[in-house]
Amino acid sequence: MPSASLNLIEDLSACCSPITGGALDVESAERLARVFKALADPTRVRLLSLIAATEGGEACACDLTAPVNLSQPTVSHHMRQLVDAGLVSRDQRGKWAYYRVVDSTLDAIANAIKPERLGQQTR
Amino acid sequence: MPSASLNLIEDLSACCSPITGGALDVESAERLARVFKALADPTRVRLLSLIAATEGGEACACDLTAPVNLSQPTVSHHMRQLVDAGLVSRDQRGKWAYYRVVDSTLDAIANAIKPERLGQQTR
DNA sequence: TCCTCGTATAGACAAACGTCAATACGTCCA
DNA sequence: TGGACGTATTGACGTTTGTCTATACGAGGA
């Protein structure tokens, strides 16, 4: 069921409660923590940067195993976490799976962390 | 020894390797993941936002236990994680401990997540 | 249709994590 | 100096996480 990941993305971009903008309710905190948890592993951070660094912004799953030096199932497991968190999208083409960074999610997280605008506060 | 947390802060602001700016080396990924791990728990996200929401930007440890509804040792444990990650600074004044959000660390993380500047959206 | 190959899932296991009760540490005040 | 009080540490516990091997799923080609 892919609805879980989709909900997370929508919730993130919809609410965007900034951490430093006031006391967060439990729900917002859980939503944010869920995304941070997906980023809380060095391997997943590297996988994300590997995908972003690929020209075209798209990386085949087959090219992700070697760089991180882990077994194929382990990489598949990590990719699932990234997809579920809405940080990465998956596109199956034939036998191959292609991953792409979801910029809007990264933006939402960045805004949640640092809502201050360069120059003046919009709020 | 407080050097561990200090090193992390310095490293973060010093290097700031953006996730989407090219393949990260293992060390940078670990550094980033360590900070994300500190944010990967709903309680710690709430604690962080509670501190940020306090007027003066400073919160007493004694005022943090009730809102999150956890035992004092547990809150103390979470605060240590936030301090070690460089997300929060601790100031002991008399019997009380005061915490304050370290903006530079939040900025560094936000920049690592979303290095693109406001001016030009390529997309 | 069967085989090959890329990917995902299942199951197992050690390590890390979040939480608590109990206790230790430090600072203030009488 | 001794007690009270705020905070940190210790030790224990069940749960979650990261990794592996083994296996299942699914698409393409002979």
Side-chain angles (χ1 to χ4, degrees):
Chain A
M1 57 201 78
S3 56
S5 62
L6 287 179
N7 286 342
L8 183 51
I9 300 175
E10 289 166 15
D11 286 355
L12 257 187
S13 51
C15 103
C16 264
S17 318
I19 294 179
T20 55
L24 256 59
D25 58 307
V26 180
E27 209 176 317
S28 302
E30 282 175 351
R31 213 155 34 213
L32 273 173
R34 225 174 302 145
V35 185
F36 286 134
K37 194 170 294 187
L39 291 168
D41 182 271
T43 299
R44 286 195 290 271
V45 172
R46 287 188 70 206
L47 286 170
L48 199 64
S49 80
L50 278 170
I51 297 169
T54 308
E55 82 288 350
E58 201 177 50
C60 174
C62 56
D63 293 328
L64 295 175
T65 305
V68 299
N69 203 28
L70 288 172
S71 73
Q72 176 268 322
T74 299
V75 173
S76 181
H77 166 71
H78 284 309
M79 291 314 300
R80 193 191 206 291
Q81 310 242 93
L82 289 174
V83 170
D84 284 352
L87 288 163
V88 152
S89 66
R90 199 184 104 99
D91 183 25
Q92 179 107 27
R93 291 207 292 274
K95 315 203 284 188
W96 290 273
Y98 291 90
Y99 293 98
R100 185 177 284 277
V101 174
V102 177
D103 289 309
S104 60
T105 304
L106 286 187
D107 286 2
I109 305 170
N111 286 336
I113 292 178
K114 190 181 67 167
E116 309 97 53
R117 263 17 202 139
L118 303 172
Q120 85 292 4
Q121 320 274 42
T122 317
R123 217 169 318 94
Chain B
M1 57 201 74
S3 57
S5 63
L6 287 179
N7 286 341
L8 182 52
I9 301 174
E10 290 168 16
D11 288 355
L12 257 187
S13 51
C15 102
C16 264
S17 319
I19 294 179
T20 55
L24 256 57
D25 57 306
V26 180
E27 209 176 318
S28 302
E30 283 176 350
R31 213 156 32 212
L32 273 172
R34 225 173 302 147
V35 184
F36 286 133
K37 193 169 296 187
L39 292 168
D41 182 272
T43 299
R44 287 195 290 271
V45 172
R46 286 187 71 208
L47 287 170
L48 200 63
S49 79
L50 277 171
I51 298 169
T54 308
E55 81 288 351
E58 200 178 50
C60 175
C62 56
D63 293 328
L64 296 175
T65 305
V68 297
N69 203 28
L70 289 172
S71 73
Q72 176 268 321
T74 299
V75 173
S76 181
H77 167 71
H78 283 311
M79 290 315 300
R80 193 190 206 293
Q81 311 243 93
L82 290 174
V83 170
D84 284 352
L87 288 162
V88 151
S89 66
R90 198 184 104 99
D91 183 26
Q92 179 107 26
R93 292 206 292 275
K95 315 203 283 188
W96 290 274
Y98 291 90
Y99 294 97
R100 183 177 285 277
V101 174
V102 177
D103 288 311
S104 60
T105 303
L106 286 187
D107 286 2
I109 305 170
N111 286 336
I113 292 178
K114 190 183 66 168
E116 307 96 53
R117 260 30 201 123
L118 288 177
Q120 70 291 2
Q121 304 276 29
T122 318
R123 226 162 297 100

